[in-house]
Amino acid sequence: MGYVAAIDVGGTTMKGGLVARDGTIRHAERRPTPRAEGPARVVAAISAFVADLARPRDGVRPQAVGLAVPGLVTPTHAVFSAAFGWRDVPAEAFAGDVDLPVALGHDVRSAGEAELAYGGGEDDVLYLPIGTGIAGAVVLSGALYGGAGGWAGQIGHIPVRPGGAACGCGQRGCLAAYASGGAVAARFGAPGAEEVVRALLDGDARAAAVWDDAVDALALALATYTLVLDPAAVVIGGGVAQAGETLLAPLRTRLGARLGERPAPAVRASSLGAVAGLMGAGLLGWRAAPAT
Amino acid sequence: MGYVAAIDVGGTTMKGGLVARDGTIRHAERRPTPRAEGPARVVAAISAFVADLARPRDGVRPQAVGLAVPGLVTPTHAVFSAAFGWRDVPAEAFAGDVDLPVALGHDVRSAGEAELAYGGGEDDVLYLPIGTGIAGAVVLSGALYGGAGGWAGQIGHIPVRPGGAACGCGQRGCLAAYASGGAVAARFGAPGAEEVVRALLDGDARAAAVWDDAVDALALALATYTLVLDPAAVVIGGGVAQAGETLLAPLRTRLGARLGERPAPAVRASSLGAVAGLMGAGLLGWRAAPAT
């Protein structure tokens, strides 16, 4: 059975693997993203990772390479990434010496495509990964929707508390400033959101207050999304979704209250979990692979 | 040239007319909607209006009837209307003795379809009529989008000021509670929004404050819409759009400020103006007309 090499390039970790056409992951490994070392070092780390994944295993080589990266991306160029300081990096730069077709894609949208292809379910759904930041993949009538200019899905910057907490984007009161993993951790004063969840479950009142703010901000943003687009479901992914019902149960209650008499969409955790991005990168690779 | 009979049924006024396939309005008249007299009287007033429009003119009868009504609507039934107290009213009930095909449609969506068909322009646009209330027609990739259950486009109930002013929907802080014509009039203490605009232009500070709140709430809601769906344009219709640049100029400035570095969609008044609903009802009629 054939496979493609796929890497989901995150802000702190790269997840790479070999992905079959049906989404099966044959081999997976994680490496740190050397973000602090500058734009070129991140490109070099990716191309080294590609070279390792491109080696034959059991006599079989991958047919193509799919890379899911953050920022503004076309299939052939990483046009702009604030996270990595990239500007117009061509897809070939990520392949180094490896002579395979390479396709780039947006990390969150690719994960959304994987949810759509492999997660099963609704045609009208918001896929919302909550990790260090918050982004969204807007799936309408069974297809990802990019908007007039490709900028749709910036759910993390919905102004839920106008004039509120400062956000990295330069605005105030954005959803991400309250409910991203980064914001939850920073507001509590912990390295990550997991520590906040642990403190919350241990009965820490300050953790409960931070979590409450996060859930409330999310409920507001999802109420707005529902009023505008009436989705059948909201599928939450990313690291923060690992909080499970600690997040989802109060979120459903608050969202229902915000919507009054109209029914709320189903709110659930991604069934693909943390590998949605890798599976999405696999889909990118399969799109670039030569027809067989 | 053939035509259909069309009525745009508003909360206070019905606009009826004869509409050609290219959107040309051959005859138009307004009648009051007897909303206070109960559900059946509104149906009777519509069927009397239909009967008058269905009479032959210059030997030509309309080929079908299109009715744009508020609430939850299918082509064959007015399923529910809070405004008129309707529940499951069949399309035929609106036609009385007139033996023509009758099609129903949602008022705001039909107006949005008219904007799309006759107003010219973008494939990805929010059509936002601001009258007594605020609704929205979400046009994505050149087609109206209804969502998973047909409830998309409730822009008027985006929570722009969580916990703020009470809205007729039972929630607080909805866009419509600040920026609808009804809210602007009520907050200033005038019969209609026109009086507020007049007072504003006369230098009335209280009118300016009410207007400022309305523009700010709209800018917030449109920033959210833009972040989620990245439209090419926002087209504002309804009575409040008649304020023209008094509304649009500060709205563009505030929306731009809310979006920071990313470009804002074009914001303009509907080119169809107050007849968009009638033209939309005409489109409904043409869809029901026998093929010729």
Side-chain angles (χ1 to χ4, degrees), chain A residues 124 140 145 147-154 157 159 162 171 220 224 227-230 257-258 260 262, chain B residues 124 140 145 147-154 157 159 162 171 220 224 227-230 232 257-258 260 262:
Chain A
D124 297 276
L140 306 176
Y145 179 76
W151 287 93
Q154 294 194 303
H157 301 287
Q171 300 289 329
L220 256 168
T224 293
L227 288 160
V228 175
L229 287 171
D230 187 24
R258 285 263 172 223
R262 64 168 282 173
Chain B
D124 297 276
L140 306 176
Y145 179 75
W151 289 92
Q154 295 194 302
H157 301 286
Q171 301 288 330
L220 256 168
T224 293
L227 288 160
V228 175
L229 286 171
D230 188 23
R258 286 263 170 222
R262 63 169 281 172

mmCIF file of all heavy atoms in Angstrom, chain A residues 124 140 145 147-154 157 159 162 171 220 224 227-230 257-258 260 262, chain B residues 124 140 145 147-154 157 159 162 171 220 224 227-230 232 257-258 260 262:
data_model
loop_
_atom_site.group_PDB
_atom_site.id
_atom_site.type_symbol
_atom_site.label_atom_id
_atom_site.label_comp_id
_atom_site.label_asym_id
_atom_site.label_seq_id
_atom_site.Cartn_x
_atom_site.Cartn_y
_atom_site.Cartn_z
ATOM 1 N N ASP A 124 -22.304 20.827 7.638
ATOM 2 C CA ASP A 124 -22.218 22.232 8.049
ATOM 3 C C ASP A 124 -21.683 22.257 9.468
ATOM 4 O O ASP A 124 -22.410 22.030 10.427
ATOM 5 C CB ASP A 124 -23.604 22.883 7.970
ATOM 6 C CG ASP A 124 -24.125 22.901 6.539
ATOM 7 O OD1 ASP A 124 -23.755 23.823 5.802
ATOM 8 O OD2 ASP A 124 -24.855 21.962 6.160
ATOM 9 N N LEU A 140 -18.999 24.420 5.074
ATOM 10 C CA LEU A 140 -20.366 24.767 4.682
ATOM 11 C C LEU A 140 -20.781 23.871 3.529
ATOM 12 O O LEU A 140 -20.045 23.746 2.543
ATOM 13 C CB LEU A 140 -20.433 26.235 4.241
ATOM 14 C CG LEU A 140 -19.886 27.271 5.244
ATOM 15 C CD1 LEU A 140 -19.918 28.659 4.626
ATOM 16 C CD2 LEU A 140 -20.665 27.254 6.540
ATOM 17 N N TYR A 145 -14.857 26.573 3.450
ATOM 18 C CA TYR A 145 -15.151 27.879 2.872
ATOM 19 C C TYR A 145 -14.048 28.850 3.255
ATOM 20 O O TYR A 145 -13.729 28.991 4.443
ATOM 21 C CB TYR A 145 -16.513 28.373 3.372
ATOM 22 C CG TYR A 145 -16.873 29.718 2.828
ATOM 23 C CD1 TYR A 145 -17.301 29.845 1.506
ATOM 24 C CD2 TYR A 145 -16.771 30.863 3.597
ATOM 25 C CE1 TYR A 145 -17.620 31.080 0.977
ATOM 26 C CE2 TYR A 145 -17.085 32.102 3.082
ATOM 27 C CZ TYR A 145 -17.507 32.207 1.773
ATOM 28 O OH TYR A 145 -17.814 33.437 1.256
ATOM 29 N N GLY A 147 -13.868 32.213 2.003
ATOM 30 C CA GLY A 147 -14.227 33.629 1.901
ATOM 31 C C GLY A 147 -13.728 34.243 0.624
ATOM 32 O O GLY A 147 -13.123 33.578 -0.218
ATOM 33 N N ALA A 148 -14.008 35.547 0.474
ATOM 34 C CA ALA A 148 -13.656 36.238 -0.773
ATOM 35 C C ALA A 148 -12.149 36.268 -0.985
ATOM 36 O O ALA A 148 -11.670 36.177 -2.109
ATOM 37 C CB ALA A 148 -14.220 37.658 -0.754
ATOM 38 N N GLY A 149 -11.385 36.379 0.105
ATOM 39 C CA GLY A 149 -9.941 36.525 -0.046
ATOM 40 C C GLY A 149 -9.136 35.444 0.656
ATOM 41 O O GLY A 149 -7.923 35.568 0.788
ATOM 42 N N GLY A 150 -9.793 34.397 1.125
ATOM 43 C CA GLY A 150 -9.070 33.314 1.780
ATOM 44 C C GLY A 150 -8.847 33.505 3.271
ATOM 45 O O GLY A 150 -8.121 32.742 3.902
ATOM 46 N N TRP A 151 -9.483 34.514 3.853
ATOM 47 C CA TRP A 151 -9.251 34.837 5.258
ATOM 48 C C TRP A 151 -10.370 34.399 6.184
ATOM 49 O O TRP A 151 -10.397 34.795 7.359
ATOM 50 C CB TRP A 151 -9.046 36.344 5.412
ATOM 51 C CG TRP A 151 -7.741 36.814 4.899
ATOM 52 C CD1 TRP A 151 -7.488 37.293 3.646
ATOM 53 C CD2 TRP A 151 -6.494 36.870 5.608
ATOM 54 N NE1 TRP A 151 -6.169 37.651 3.530
ATOM 55 C CE2 TRP A 151 -5.533 37.402 4.724
ATOM 56 C CE3 TRP A 151 -6.102 36.523 6.899
ATOM 57 C CZ2 TRP A 151 -4.205 37.589 5.090
ATOM 58 C CZ3 TRP A 151 -4.774 36.717 7.261
ATOM 59 C CH2 TRP A 151 -3.843 37.238 6.354
ATOM 60 N N ALA A 152 -11.317 33.631 5.704
ATOM 61 C CA ALA A 152 -12.417 33.206 6.579
ATOM 62 C C ALA A 152 -11.903 32.319 7.708
ATOM 63 O O ALA A 152 -10.839 31.724 7.600
ATOM 64 C CB ALA A 152 -13.483 32.478 5.770
ATOM 65 N N GLY A 153 -12.671 32.244 8.799
ATOM 66 C CA GLY A 153 -12.367 31.319 9.882
ATOM 67 C C GLY A 153 -11.545 31.883 11.019
ATOM 68 O O GLY A 153 -11.082 31.133 11.868
ATOM 69 N N GLN A 154 -11.374 33.201 11.064
ATOM 70 C CA GLN A 154 -10.566 33.774 12.159
ATOM 71 C C GLN A 154 -11.411 33.921 13.425
ATOM 72 O O GLN A 154 -11.554 35.017 13.989
ATOM 73 C CB GLN A 154 -9.988 35.113 11.732
ATOM 74 C CG GLN A 154 -8.971 34.950 10.593
ATOM 75 C CD GLN A 154 -8.155 36.199 10.411
ATOM 76 O OE1 GLN A 154 -8.692 37.289 10.191
ATOM 77 N NE2 GLN A 154 -6.847 36.059 10.518
ATOM 78 N N HIS A 157 -10.433 35.735 16.757
ATOM 79 C CA HIS A 157 -10.395 37.190 16.911
ATOM 80 C C HIS A 157 -11.771 37.834 16.899
ATOM 81 O O HIS A 157 -11.894 39.064 16.773
ATOM 82 C CB HIS A 157 -9.422 37.798 15.908
ATOM 83 C CG HIS A 157 -8.052 37.232 16.118
ATOM 84 N ND1 HIS A 157 -7.274 37.589 17.194
ATOM 85 C CD2 HIS A 157 -7.387 36.234 15.482
ATOM 86 C CE1 HIS A 157 -6.153 36.870 17.177
ATOM 87 N NE2 HIS A 157 -6.200 36.038 16.156
ATOM 88 N N PRO A 159 -14.528 39.682 18.508
ATOM 89 C CA PRO A 159 -14.450 40.542 19.702
ATOM 90 C C PRO A 159 -15.548 40.195 20.699
ATOM 91 O O PRO A 159 -16.647 40.735 20.636
ATOM 92 C CB PRO A 159 -14.640 41.958 19.132
ATOM 93 C CG PRO A 159 -15.369 41.775 17.836
ATOM 94 C CD PRO A 159 -15.045 40.391 17.316
ATOM 95 N N PRO A 162 -15.537 43.600 23.886
ATOM 96 C CA PRO A 162 -14.991 44.825 23.285
ATOM 97 C C PRO A 162 -14.287 45.683 24.338
ATOM 98 O O PRO A 162 -14.841 45.920 25.408
ATOM 99 C CB PRO A 162 -16.233 45.523 22.738
ATOM 100 C CG PRO A 162 -17.239 44.425 22.527
ATOM 101 C CD PRO A 162 -16.956 43.401 23.586
ATOM 102 N N GLN A 171 -5.718 43.959 18.708
ATOM 103 C CA GLN A 171 -7.042 44.395 19.148
ATOM 104 C C GLN A 171 -7.230 44.034 20.626
ATOM 105 O O GLN A 171 -6.343 43.437 21.245
ATOM 106 C CB GLN A 171 -8.128 43.705 18.304
ATOM 107 C CG GLN A 171 -8.029 43.996 16.816
ATOM 108 C CD GLN A 171 -8.416 45.421 16.461
ATOM 109 O OE1 GLN A 171 -9.252 46.021 17.110
ATOM 110 N NE2 GLN A 171 -7.776 45.975 15.441
ATOM 111 N N LEU A 220 -20.013 32.721 23.987
ATOM 112 C CA LEU A 220 -20.411 33.926 23.256
ATOM 113 C C LEU A 220 -20.027 33.826 21.784
ATOM 114 O O LEU A 220 -20.834 34.114 20.894
ATOM 115 C CB LEU A 220 -19.709 35.149 23.853
ATOM 116 C CG LEU A 220 -20.549 36.045 24.723
ATOM 117 C CD1 LEU A 220 -19.654 37.021 25.460
ATOM 118 C CD2 LEU A 220 -21.557 36.821 23.876
ATOM 119 N N THR A 224 -22.583 33.518 18.505
ATOM 120 C CA THR A 224 -22.505 34.383 17.332
ATOM 121 C C THR A 224 -22.364 33.559 16.054
ATOM 122 O O THR A 224 -23.077 33.777 15.072
ATOM 123 C CB THR A 224 -21.313 35.353 17.476
ATOM 124 O OG1 THR A 224 -21.600 36.242 18.551
ATOM 125 C CG2 THR A 224 -21.080 36.145 16.214
ATOM 126 N N LEU A 227 -25.684 31.992 15.234
ATOM 127 C CA LEU A 227 -26.661 32.944 14.704
ATOM 128 C C LEU A 227 -26.369 33.277 13.247
ATOM 129 O O LEU A 227 -27.279 33.421 12.431
ATOM 130 C CB LEU A 227 -26.653 34.224 15.545
ATOM 131 C CG LEU A 227 -27.267 34.051 16.936
ATOM 132 C CD1 LEU A 227 -26.805 35.147 17.880
ATOM 133 C CD2 LEU A 227 -28.792 34.045 16.833
ATOM 134 N N VAL A 228 -25.092 33.373 12.906
ATOM 135 C CA VAL A 228 -24.726 33.743 11.536
ATOM 136 C C VAL A 228 -24.842 32.551 10.596
ATOM 137 O O VAL A 228 -25.365 32.682 9.483
ATOM 138 C CB VAL A 228 -23.292 34.327 11.493
ATOM 139 C CG1 VAL A 228 -22.858 34.593 10.056
ATOM 140 C CG2 VAL A 228 -23.215 35.612 12.309
ATOM 141 N N LEU A 229 -24.381 31.366 11.017
ATOM 142 C CA LEU A 229 -24.226 30.264 10.061
ATOM 143 C C LEU A 229 -25.003 28.989 10.382
ATOM 144 O O LEU A 229 -24.985 28.053 9.583
ATOM 145 C CB LEU A 229 -22.729 29.930 9.902
ATOM 146 C CG LEU A 229 -21.964 30.978 9.094
ATOM 147 C CD1 LEU A 229 -20.481 30.711 9.149
ATOM 148 C CD2 LEU A 229 -22.437 31.003 7.637
ATOM 149 N N ASP A 230 -25.676 28.919 11.514
ATOM 150 C CA ASP A 230 -26.530 27.773 11.846
ATOM 151 C C ASP A 230 -25.868 26.426 11.540
ATOM 152 O O ASP A 230 -26.379 25.631 10.739
ATOM 153 C CB ASP A 230 -27.853 27.906 11.056
ATOM 154 C CG ASP A 230 -28.869 26.848 11.463
ATOM 155 O OD1 ASP A 230 -28.779 26.342 12.592
ATOM 156 O OD2 ASP A 230 -29.754 26.528 10.641
ATOM 157 N N ALA A 257 -27.922 28.586 26.758
ATOM 158 C CA ALA A 257 -28.534 29.743 27.413
ATOM 159 C C ALA A 257 -28.450 30.982 26.531
ATOM 160 O O ALA A 257 -29.381 31.783 26.467
ATOM 161 C CB ALA A 257 -27.849 29.999 28.752
ATOM 162 N N ARG A 258 -27.345 31.128 25.821
ATOM 163 C CA ARG A 258 -27.161 32.286 24.942
ATOM 164 C C ARG A 258 -28.097 32.252 23.746
ATOM 165 O O ARG A 258 -28.391 33.271 23.147
ATOM 166 C CB ARG A 258 -25.731 32.309 24.386
ATOM 167 C CG ARG A 258 -24.703 32.729 25.371
ATOM 168 C CD ARG A 258 -24.378 34.206 25.213
ATOM 169 N NE ARG A 258 -23.528 34.652 26.294
ATOM 170 C CZ ARG A 258 -23.703 35.802 26.942
ATOM 171 N NH1 ARG A 258 -24.670 36.622 26.606
ATOM 172 N NH2 ARG A 258 -22.901 36.139 27.915
ATOM 173 N N GLY A 260 -31.158 30.861 23.745
ATOM 174 C CA GLY A 260 -32.573 30.913 24.110
ATOM 175 C C GLY A 260 -33.334 29.731 23.545
ATOM 176 O O GLY A 260 -32.918 28.588 23.715
ATOM 177 N N ARG A 262 -33.913 28.777 20.435
ATOM 178 C CA ARG A 262 -33.505 28.048 19.231
ATOM 179 C C ARG A 262 -32.512 26.954 19.596
ATOM 180 O O ARG A 262 -31.713 27.104 20.516
ATOM 181 C CB ARG A 262 -32.970 28.974 18.142
ATOM 182 C CG ARG A 262 -31.723 29.723 18.490
ATOM 183 C CD ARG A 262 -31.164 30.350 17.245
ATOM 184 N NE ARG A 262 -30.466 29.363 16.445
ATOM 185 C CZ ARG A 262 -29.986 29.592 15.250
ATOM 186 N NH1 ARG A 262 -30.142 30.758 14.686
ATOM 187 N NH2 ARG A 262 -29.341 28.655 14.602
ATOM 188 N N ASP B 124 -19.489 36.896 -2.660
ATOM 189 C CA ASP B 124 -19.410 36.667 -1.217
ATOM 190 C C ASP B 124 -19.768 37.968 -0.519
ATOM 191 O O ASP B 124 -18.943 38.868 -0.400
ATOM 192 C CB ASP B 124 -17.998 36.202 -0.831
ATOM 193 C CG ASP B 124 -17.656 34.869 -1.486
ATOM 194 O OD1 ASP B 124 -18.033 33.835 -0.939
ATOM 195 O OD2 ASP B 124 -17.051 34.894 -2.578
ATOM 196 N N LEU B 140 -22.784 33.288 -0.145
ATOM 197 C CA LEU B 140 -21.450 32.682 -0.166
ATOM 198 C C LEU B 140 -21.242 32.005 -1.516
ATOM 199 O O LEU B 140 -22.101 31.229 -1.956
ATOM 200 C CB LEU B 140 -21.332 31.645 0.951
ATOM 201 C CG LEU B 140 -21.679 32.124 2.367
ATOM 202 C CD1 LEU B 140 -21.613 30.960 3.347
ATOM 203 C CD2 LEU B 140 -20.767 33.246 2.809
ATOM 204 N N TYR B 145 -26.914 31.181 1.565
ATOM 205 C CA TYR B 145 -26.595 30.069 2.450
ATOM 206 C C TYR B 145 -27.566 30.083 3.621
ATOM 207 O O TYR B 145 -27.731 31.104 4.291
ATOM 208 C CB TYR B 145 -25.150 30.208 2.950
ATOM 209 C CG TYR B 145 -24.757 29.098 3.881
ATOM 210 C CD1 TYR B 145 -24.493 27.828 3.375
ATOM 211 C CD2 TYR B 145 -24.686 29.308 5.253
ATOM 212 C CE1 TYR B 145 -24.155 26.790 4.230
ATOM 213 C CE2 TYR B 145 -24.342 28.277 6.106
ATOM 214 C CZ TYR B 145 -24.079 27.021 5.585
ATOM 215 O OH TYR B 145 -23.747 25.996 6.440
ATOM 216 N N GLY B 147 -27.663 27.493 6.118
ATOM 217 C CA GLY B 147 -27.208 26.756 7.291
ATOM 218 C C GLY B 147 -27.796 25.363 7.351
ATOM 219 O O GLY B 147 -28.554 24.961 6.463
ATOM 220 N N ALA B 148 -27.463 24.643 8.422
ATOM 221 C CA ALA B 148 -27.897 23.253 8.553
ATOM 222 C C ALA B 148 -29.418 23.156 8.677
ATOM 223 O O ALA B 148 -30.039 22.233 8.171
ATOM 224 C CB ALA B 148 -27.232 22.603 9.768
ATOM 225 N N GLY B 149 -30.036 24.133 9.339
ATOM 226 C CA GLY B 149 -31.481 24.044 9.577
ATOM 227 C C GLY B 149 -32.263 25.207 9.005
ATOM 228 O O GLY B 149 -33.440 25.371 9.315
ATOM 229 N N GLY B 150 -31.629 26.031 8.184
ATOM 230 C CA GLY B 150 -32.353 27.156 7.574
ATOM 231 C C GLY B 150 -32.379 28.422 8.414
ATOM 232 O O GLY B 150 -33.071 29.372 8.099
ATOM 233 N N TRP B 151 -31.598 28.460 9.491
ATOM 234 C CA TRP B 151 -31.637 29.595 10.413
ATOM 235 C C TRP B 151 -30.448 30.541 10.275
ATOM 236 O O TRP B 151 -30.261 31.412 11.135
ATOM 237 C CB TRP B 151 -31.708 29.096 11.849
ATOM 238 C CG TRP B 151 -33.008 28.495 12.213
ATOM 239 C CD1 TRP B 151 -33.362 27.177 12.131
ATOM 240 C CD2 TRP B 151 -34.166 29.185 12.722
ATOM 241 N NE1 TRP B 151 -34.650 27.017 12.555
ATOM 242 C CE2 TRP B 151 -35.175 28.220 12.934
ATOM 243 C CE3 TRP B 151 -34.430 30.532 13.013
ATOM 244 C CZ2 TRP B 151 -36.438 28.561 13.422
ATOM 245 C CZ3 TRP B 151 -35.688 30.851 13.506
ATOM 246 C CH2 TRP B 151 -36.674 29.877 13.703
ATOM 247 N N ALA B 152 -29.636 30.372 9.272
ATOM 248 C CA ALA B 152 -28.467 31.257 9.141
ATOM 249 C C ALA B 152 -28.912 32.701 8.894
ATOM 250 O O ALA B 152 -30.024 32.949 8.446
ATOM 251 C CB ALA B 152 -27.576 30.773 8.006
ATOM 252 N N GLY B 153 -28.029 33.639 9.202
ATOM 253 C CA GLY B 153 -28.280 35.043 8.869
ATOM 254 C C GLY B 153 -28.913 35.880 9.965
ATOM 255 O O GLY B 153 -29.323 37.005 9.707
ATOM 256 N N GLN B 154 -28.977 35.360 11.176
ATOM 257 C CA GLN B 154 -29.590 36.150 12.257
ATOM 258 C C GLN B 154 -28.603 37.158 12.835
ATOM 259 O O GLN B 154 -28.308 37.156 14.042
ATOM 260 C CB GLN B 154 -30.121 35.219 13.348
ATOM 261 C CG GLN B 154 -31.252 34.338 12.838
ATOM 262 C CD GLN B 154 -32.002 33.684 13.981
ATOM 263 O OE1 GLN B 154 -31.428 32.968 14.789
ATOM 264 N NE2 GLN B 154 -33.285 33.948 14.050
ATOM 265 N N HIS B 157 -29.038 39.401 16.012
ATOM 266 C CA HIS B 157 -28.944 38.910 17.384
ATOM 267 C C HIS B 157 -27.529 38.504 17.793
ATOM 268 O O HIS B 157 -27.327 37.855 18.829
ATOM 269 C CB HIS B 157 -29.980 37.808 17.609
ATOM 270 C CG HIS B 157 -31.348 38.358 17.356
ATOM 271 N ND1 HIS B 157 -31.966 39.213 18.235
ATOM 272 C CD2 HIS B 157 -32.158 38.275 16.277
ATOM 273 C CE1 HIS B 157 -33.127 39.606 17.720
ATOM 274 N NE2 HIS B 157 -33.274 39.060 16.537
ATOM 275 N N PRO B 159 -24.479 38.939 19.804
ATOM 276 C CA PRO B 159 -24.340 39.640 21.094
ATOM 277 C C PRO B 159 -23.163 40.605 21.082
ATOM 278 O O PRO B 159 -22.055 40.229 21.409
ATOM 279 C CB PRO B 159 -24.119 38.498 22.096
ATOM 280 C CG PRO B 159 -23.574 37.360 21.288
ATOM 281 C CD PRO B 159 -24.053 37.524 19.878
ATOM 282 N N PRO B 162 -22.545 41.956 25.492
ATOM 283 C CA PRO B 162 -23.063 40.916 26.392
ATOM 284 C C PRO B 162 -23.570 41.528 27.706
ATOM 285 O O PRO B 162 -22.882 42.345 28.320
ATOM 286 C CB PRO B 162 -21.846 40.029 26.631
ATOM 287 C CG PRO B 162 -20.975 40.252 25.436
ATOM 288 C CD PRO B 162 -21.182 41.670 25.018
ATOM 289 N N GLN B 171 -32.854 37.895 24.771
ATOM 290 C CA GLN B 171 -31.461 37.999 25.194
ATOM 291 C C GLN B 171 -31.126 39.462 25.478
ATOM 292 O O GLN B 171 -31.971 40.344 25.333
ATOM 293 C CB GLN B 171 -30.538 37.460 24.088
ATOM 294 C CG GLN B 171 -30.796 36.008 23.720
ATOM 295 C CD GLN B 171 -30.347 35.028 24.792
ATOM 296 O OE1 GLN B 171 -29.406 35.278 25.524
ATOM 297 N NE2 GLN B 171 -31.049 33.908 24.908
ATOM 298 N N LEU B 220 -18.902 46.481 15.267
ATOM 299 C CA LEU B 220 -18.506 45.268 15.984
ATOM 300 C C LEU B 220 -19.075 44.018 15.308
ATOM 301 O O LEU B 220 -18.355 43.035 15.088
ATOM 302 C CB LEU B 220 -19.045 45.317 17.413
ATOM 303 C CG LEU B 220 -18.045 45.644 18.491
ATOM 304 C CD1 LEU B 220 -18.765 45.947 19.791
ATOM 305 C CD2 LEU B 220 -17.092 44.473 18.698
ATOM 306 N N THR B 224 -16.956 41.043 13.323
ATOM 307 C CA THR B 224 -17.112 39.613 13.609
ATOM 308 C C THR B 224 -17.461 38.848 12.337
ATOM 309 O O THR B 224 -16.856 37.813 12.032
ATOM 310 C CB THR B 224 -18.207 39.417 14.672
ATOM 311 O OG1 THR B 224 -17.745 39.973 15.898
ATOM 312 C CG2 THR B 224 -18.530 37.953 14.866
ATOM 313 N N LEU B 227 -14.391 38.544 10.182
ATOM 314 C CA LEU B 227 -13.417 37.577 10.700
ATOM 315 C C LEU B 227 -13.858 36.151 10.394
ATOM 316 O O LEU B 227 -13.051 35.293 10.068
ATOM 317 C CB LEU B 227 -13.239 37.769 12.206
ATOM 318 C CG LEU B 227 -12.473 39.045 12.584
ATOM 319 C CD1 LEU B 227 -12.748 39.436 14.023
ATOM 320 C CD2 LEU B 227 -10.982 38.850 12.353
ATOM 321 N N VAL B 228 -15.161 35.897 10.481
ATOM 322 C CA VAL B 228 -15.658 34.544 10.268
ATOM 323 C C VAL B 228 -15.738 34.212 8.779
ATOM 324 O O VAL B 228 -15.351 33.124 8.359
ATOM 325 C CB VAL B 228 -17.037 34.357 10.942
ATOM 326 C CG1 VAL B 228 -17.621 32.989 10.615
ATOM 327 C CG2 VAL B 228 -16.918 34.534 12.451
ATOM 328 N N LEU B 229 -16.229 35.142 7.966
ATOM 329 C CA LEU B 229 -16.583 34.786 6.584
ATOM 330 C C LEU B 229 -15.864 35.569 5.490
ATOM 331 O O LEU B 229 -16.058 35.272 4.308
ATOM 332 C CB LEU B 229 -18.104 34.908 6.396
ATOM 333 C CG LEU B 229 -18.880 33.775 7.078
ATOM 334 C CD1 LEU B 229 -20.373 34.055 7.052
ATOM 335 C CD2 LEU B 229 -18.587 32.438 6.395
ATOM 336 N N ASP B 230 -15.078 36.572 5.845
ATOM 337 C CA ASP B 230 -14.276 37.298 4.856
ATOM 338 C C ASP B 230 -15.076 37.673 3.597
ATOM 339 O O ASP B 230 -14.728 37.254 2.489
ATOM 340 C CB ASP B 230 -13.060 36.443 4.467
ATOM 341 C CG ASP B 230 -12.071 37.198 3.589
ATOM 342 O OD1 ASP B 230 -12.067 38.439 3.629
ATOM 343 O OD2 ASP B 230 -11.316 36.530 2.845
ATOM 344 N N ALA B 232 -16.565 39.994 0.450
ATOM 345 C CA ALA B 232 -16.042 41.077 -0.378
ATOM 346 C C ALA B 232 -16.774 42.375 -0.080
ATOM 347 O O ALA B 232 -16.197 43.455 -0.208
ATOM 348 C CB ALA B 232 -16.193 40.715 -1.858
ATOM 349 N N ALA B 257 -11.067 50.210 11.817
ATOM 350 C CA ALA B 257 -10.297 50.239 13.062
ATOM 351 C C ALA B 257 -10.393 48.901 13.801
ATOM 352 O O ALA B 257 -9.417 48.426 14.379
ATOM 353 C CB ALA B 257 -10.792 51.376 13.966
ATOM 354 N N ARG B 258 -11.569 48.286 13.768
ATOM 355 C CA ARG B 258 -11.762 46.999 14.444
ATOM 356 C C ARG B 258 -10.974 45.875 13.783
ATOM 357 O O ARG B 258 -10.671 44.870 14.415
ATOM 358 C CB ARG B 258 -13.235 46.595 14.402
ATOM 359 C CG ARG B 258 -14.109 47.374 15.321
ATOM 360 C CD ARG B 258 -14.322 46.610 16.614
ATOM 361 N NE ARG B 258 -14.980 47.465 17.578
ATOM 362 C CZ ARG B 258 -14.650 47.519 18.862
ATOM 363 N NH1 ARG B 258 -13.664 46.793 19.335
ATOM 364 N NH2 ARG B 258 -15.297 48.303 19.677
ATOM 365 N N GLY B 260 -8.043 46.256 12.179
ATOM 366 C CA GLY B 260 -6.602 46.446 12.219
ATOM 367 C C GLY B 260 -5.996 46.403 10.831
ATOM 368 O O GLY B 260 -6.480 47.072 9.919
ATOM 369 N N ARG B 262 -5.869 43.977 8.574
ATOM 370 C CA ARG B 262 -6.464 43.260 7.451
ATOM 371 C C ARG B 262 -7.496 44.144 6.758
ATOM 372 O O ARG B 262 -8.142 44.974 7.372
ATOM 373 C CB ARG B 262 -7.064 41.916 7.877
ATOM 374 C CG ARG B 262 -8.187 41.992 8.839
ATOM 375 C CD ARG B 262 -8.847 40.638 8.943
ATOM 376 N NE ARG B 262 -9.719 40.412 7.808
ATOM 377 C CZ ARG B 262 -10.313 39.262 7.548
ATOM 378 N NH1 ARG B 262 -10.102 38.228 8.325
ATOM 379 N NH2 ARG B 262 -11.122 39.140 6.528
#
